[in-house]
Amino acid sequence: MPDVSRLARTLCALPLLLAPVLSGCVKDSPLTRAEQDSDARPQIVSAREYGFVRPAVDISSLETTSSGQGLATTGGGGNLWTRVRAGMRLQDQHNPRVEAVIARFKRDPRYLTRLNDRARPYLRLIVDEIARRGLPMELALLPQVESRYNPGATSSKAAAGIWQFMPYTGRAMGLRQDQWYDERRDVLASTRAALDYLEQLNAQFDGDWALTMAAYNCGPGCVANAVERNRRQGKPTDFWSLQLPAETRDYVPQILATARLVATPGQYGLALPPLPDRPQLELIRTPGAVELAKLASASGVELATLKRLNPGLKRARTAPGAQANLLVPAGSGALLRKALAQAEVVTPAAYSASSRVHIRERATPQARPAVAAAKPARTAPKALVHVVKRGETLSAIARRHDIGVRSLAESNHLDLDDTLRPGQKLRIPGSDALVTYRVRSGDSMSVIARRYGVTVDDLQRWNALSDSRLDIGDTLRIYRKS
């Protein structure tokens, strides 16, 4: 971990580079004229620059780092929530805004039960990393507000993962994003990157965690400008006194309110089930490229489980020509490691051979179809996007589109009783025909988009791509108007 004073000096101009974005995610921002005229050039100290690396091992418990040093844990099989409570350090002095959020959360008697269920696979990993750094345990609850601990979550502004990193900030913090993998959805990697970023912000805002969390939500430039505005007007510069976006004004109270409920659930008439303080996940290193389906078949671990724990794999397989890390259920690592030797390993040569076949077909003029390589449209799945209006509920939207509310919720990774936000985008099953398209030599994202009457942004969104680069043999999902 870097020296905090060095970070403070290095990052004095960080607000110039990062700024507000909606939806409680890590932000990008334009520069103001004053910032453009400044002599100070902003820098981001990337995670890779100061030692952000994942374990380079065959198999290990997530209590072990790449250097072999154990994480600073105190768990001995008790209740993990006890460790979270013991590490809480932030005080809200019963602020009225926090009290209002608590009153709102209390109306849902299962709020803490659902939080417990969502956090179960990942909380031990997060808590261990926070404990190792000596940070406030309230930060372990930030993913509840950001994504409800869903590593597959994607916002309408392209923020992704349990920590909701925007693409630019994710790359700045060393998170890989390419056609094969989006490390923002890698729970281990994104947790380390998010805590790195929070430490940077905390150094910038002189150790004030309320301002730090606000900056994580709306961007450090937004918070720094609000602080400076109050300072010029002779007003207090604490979080509670600043004029910030409405979402940010509610964001910090949500984290603090959740922390209060976790700390003393009985005081508010709620119950928080115990969570075993033991690793829920293990990490294995694949010896080469591998398909999750083949690994699941050889090991007996359910494919759905491997996909759920590794949502960063865009094609349910690791990239050719490189080793990769996979998160697996605790206790299954040895079995999966053995299966890697038994299952068919996808090699770079196999991918190259497949690509050459498509190149040969493309080079034969009489073999070219009118619409290159488009397979017949499948009857399912189908989808369109509904933009949520103020006051709309899942059941109302389901009725409007004549579909089941459970189907709507599952298609968007939501619970039936989740509250929707105005402007939130929901995928509606049942409107457009899905085409599976295999990329050929000479194709580009713009060419394919024109061919099907869609946009490049559509293609990137449907296929969870962070850029427009394509390789021969890639498969794209296209929702064509019927």
Side-chain angles (χ1 to χ4, degrees), residues 365-376:
Q366 61 271 27
R368 289 180 58 186
V371 179
K375 296 182 179 181

Side-chain angles (χ1 to χ4, degrees), residues 289-313:
V290 64
E291 294 188 26
L292 293 187
K294 293 179 179 179
L295 184 58
S297 177
S299 67
V301 177
E302 291 186 1
L303 175 60
T305 299
L306 294 178
K307 286 183 176 180
R308 175 173 54 82
L309 295 179
N310 298 278
L313 294 174

Side-chain angles (χ1 to χ4, degrees), residues 409-453:
E410 290 177 352
S411 296
N412 293 275
H413 307 291
L414 298 172
D415 289 336
L416 292 176
D417 52 359
D418 279 349
T419 301
L420 303 179
R421 304 185 307 275
Q424 183 176 353
K425 294 182 179 180
L426 300 181
R427 175 165 292 179
I428 308 298
S431 63
D432 295 348
L434 173 66
V435 170
T436 301
Y437 182 85
R438 187 178 293 277
V439 177
R440 292 174 172 247
S441 176
D443 277 339
S444 69
M445 194 78 79
S446 58
V447 167
I448 298 170
R450 285 196 301 271
R451 181 175 294 146
Y452 284 94

Side-chain angles (χ1 to χ4, degrees), residues 7-72:
L7 275 177
R9 294 192 300 270
T10 305
L11 297 169
C12 62
L14 187 62
L16 310 186
L17 200 61
L18 303 173
V21 174
L22 299 178
S23 303
C25 48
V26 185
K27 313 300 190 286
D28 306 340
S29 80
L31 303 180
T32 65
R33 173 58 61 86
E35 290 165 338
Q36 291 171 341
D37 293 340
S38 172
D39 291 334
R41 302 294 356 135
Q43 287 186 333
I44 290 182
V45 180
S46 75
R48 296 194 190 282
E49 180 180 334
Y50 57 75
F52 170 74
V53 288
R54 293 178 306 287
V57 294
D58 289 330
I59 176 170
S60 67
S61 161
L62 290 178
E63 290 180 309
T64 305
T65 67
S66 57
S67 63
Q69 300 296 319
L71 298 183

Side-chain angles (χ1 to χ4, degrees), residues 1-4 6-12 14-15 17-18 43-50 133 135 165 169 172-174 192-209 212 215-216 220:
M1 190 177 77
D3 179 73
V4 172
R6 182 177 69 84
L7 275 177
R9 294 192 300 270
T10 305
L11 297 169
C12 62
L14 187 62
L17 200 61
L18 303 173
Q43 287 186 333
I44 290 182
V45 180
S46 75
R48 296 194 190 282
E49 180 180 334
Y50 57 75
R133 298 165 183 249
L135 301 176
F165 269 103
T169 312
M173 297 310 299
R192 291 175 172 177
L195 295 178
D196 289 337
Y197 186 53
L198 284 163
E199 286 182 311
Q200 290 185 12
L201 293 174
N202 193 243
Q204 178 183 346
F205 291 103
D206 300 321
D208 188 315
W209 281 106
T212 298
Y216 190 92

Side-chain angles (χ1 to χ4, degrees), residues 306-371:
L306 294 178
K307 286 183 176 180
R308 175 173 54 82
L309 295 179
N310 298 278
L313 294 174
K314 294 182 177 180
R315 303 168 189 180
R317 60 188 184 187
T318 62
Q323 292 183 325
N325 293 330
L326 295 176
L327 289 177
V328 300
S332 66
L335 178 64
L336 283 160
R337 184 184 183 188
K338 182 179 179 181
L340 283 173
Q342 298 171 348
E344 179 183 355
V345 176
V346 183
T347 64
Y351 282 100
S352 298
S354 173
S355 296
R356 286 195 295 272
V357 169
H358 295 298
I359 291 172
R360 286 199 299 272
E361 291 176 352
R362 183 70 171 84
T364 307
Q366 61 271 27
R368 289 180 58 186
V371 179

Side-chain angles (χ1 to χ4, degrees), residues 90-104 208 210 213 236 238-242 248-258 260 267-268:
L90 308 184
Q91 301 296 323
D92 57 68
Q93 291 84 36
H94 296 274
N95 186 279
R97 282 153 62 184
V98 176
E99 299 297 333
V101 175
I102 289 176
R104 191 168 83 218
D208 188 315
M213 292 185 291
D238 61 287
F239 167 79
W240 309 101
S241 303
L242 299 181
T248 306
R249 288 172 59 83
D250 192 48
Y251 178 81
V252 174
Q254 282 191 61
I255 297 172
L256 296 177
T258 301
R260 186 101 66 80
Q267 179 179 332
Y268 300 98

